[in-house]
Amino acid sequence: QSVLTQPPSASGTPGQRVTISCSGSTSNIGSYYIYWYQQLPGTAPKLLIYRNNQRPSGVPDRFSGSKSGTSASLAVSGLRSEDEADYYCSAWDDSLSAWVFGGGTKLTVL
Amino acid sequence: QVQLVQSGAEVKKPGASVKVSCKASGYTFTSYYIHWVRRAPGQGLEWMGLINPSADSTTYAQKFQGRVTMTRDTSARTVYMELSSLRSEDTAVFYCARSLAARSHFDYWGQGTLVTVSS
């Protein structure tokens, strides 16, 4: 059971906007930045969003992140087939003195 | 360019140990922390711990305390993760990843190393 809670799956059709939620507590999301990683099938995870809502160079602006209190969300707009992947939220947890991840959300483009 | 290149796949018997390497290039080795994260089949990502190559200090997730050892060889620009007393539940792909600070994001990842534990 993951410390951060994500829906196991999400889906949308090409061009649609999809959001993925991530719920935590005051010891993690409530106190620290949230990060999002994308893992395409058969590849290593890739940083998608850092410090709640910042995109690394090369990440399309179709991806956006937000945080409020102990929850966060990742939005993908203009959905494309290449967005099919597993998405993970992550934050430092003070109570555990460890990095924690959500269980991952499998995004399917219908 | 920044690269983290990991050692190849391993097959181990229960009770054995495995040592996975992560060779860094394209940046100042001692300026970044290296983390180890694993993903078991059908599971999500799980953080195992980190090493500060500069100070040679480590922080391990409580779950792996006593079973994991992370070391570094600065001359070889390589970090190692050894996991002992392997059991079938340790079958996973293990990744190394770097961060600028212990509580900062993982901006580059290794390609992953599959460790299979089977009798």
Side-chain angles (χ1 to χ4, degrees), chain B residues 5-10 12 17-23 34 36-37 48 68-72 78-83 86 92-96 111-116:
Chain B
V5 179
Q6 299 182 222
S7 49
E10 303 260 14
K12 296 291 182 181
S17 297
V18 68
K19 192 170 187 177
V20 180
S21 67
C22 172
K23 183 173 178 60
I34 293 291
W36 289 90
V37 176
M48 300 178 67
V68 71
T69 304
M70 297 177 189
T71 56
R72 63 51 166 145
T78 301
V79 168
Y80 303 91
M81 185 283 299
E82 184 170 22
L83 188 63
L86 290 169
V93 178
F94 291 76
Y95 298 98
C96 62
Q111 84 276 20
T113 296
L114 174 62
V115 175
T116 303

Side-chain angles (χ1 to χ4, degrees), chain A residues 46-108:
Chain A
K46 167 192 162 185
L47 179 67
L48 198 63
I49 297 288
Y50 67 100
R51 293 182 190 167
N52 300 337
N53 55 19
Q54 302 299 301
R55 282 185 308 277
S57 172
V59 173
D61 59 5
R62 301 185 297 104
F63 294 92
S64 61
S66 64
K67 176 186 135 173
S68 178
T70 59
S71 295
S73 63
L74 172 73
V76 186
S77 59
L79 204 57
R80 303 174 68 154
S81 58
E82 57 260 39
D83 298 333
E84 275 208 347
D86 293 322
Y87 293 83
Y88 294 91
C89 58
S90 180
W92 176 261
D93 188 292
D94 241 353
S95 298
L96 299 172
S97 292
W99 280 95
V100 293
F101 288 91
T105 298
K106 184 175 184 60
L107 176 60
T108 301

Side-chain angles (χ1 to χ4, degrees), chain A residues 32 35 37 39 43-47 49-51 86 88 90 92 94 96-104, chain B residues 35 37 39 43-47 50 59-62 95 99 101-107 109-112:
Chain A
Y32 295 95
Y35 302 92
Y37 298 92
Q39 187 169 29
T43 69
K46 167 192 162 185
L47 179 67
I49 297 288
Y50 67 100
R51 293 182 190 167
D86 293 322
Y88 294 91
S90 180
W92 176 261
D94 241 353
L96 299 172
S97 292
W99 280 95
V100 293
F101 288 91
Chain B
H35 303 253
V37 176
R39 183 176 183 185
Q43 306 290 316
L45 300 175
E46 182 175 32
W47 183 77
L50 65 82
T59 299
Y60 302 138
Q62 188 170 11
Y95 298 98
S99 71
R103 300 181 186 183
S104 183
H105 52 278
F106 311 156
D107 60 355
W109 295 65
Q111 84 276 20

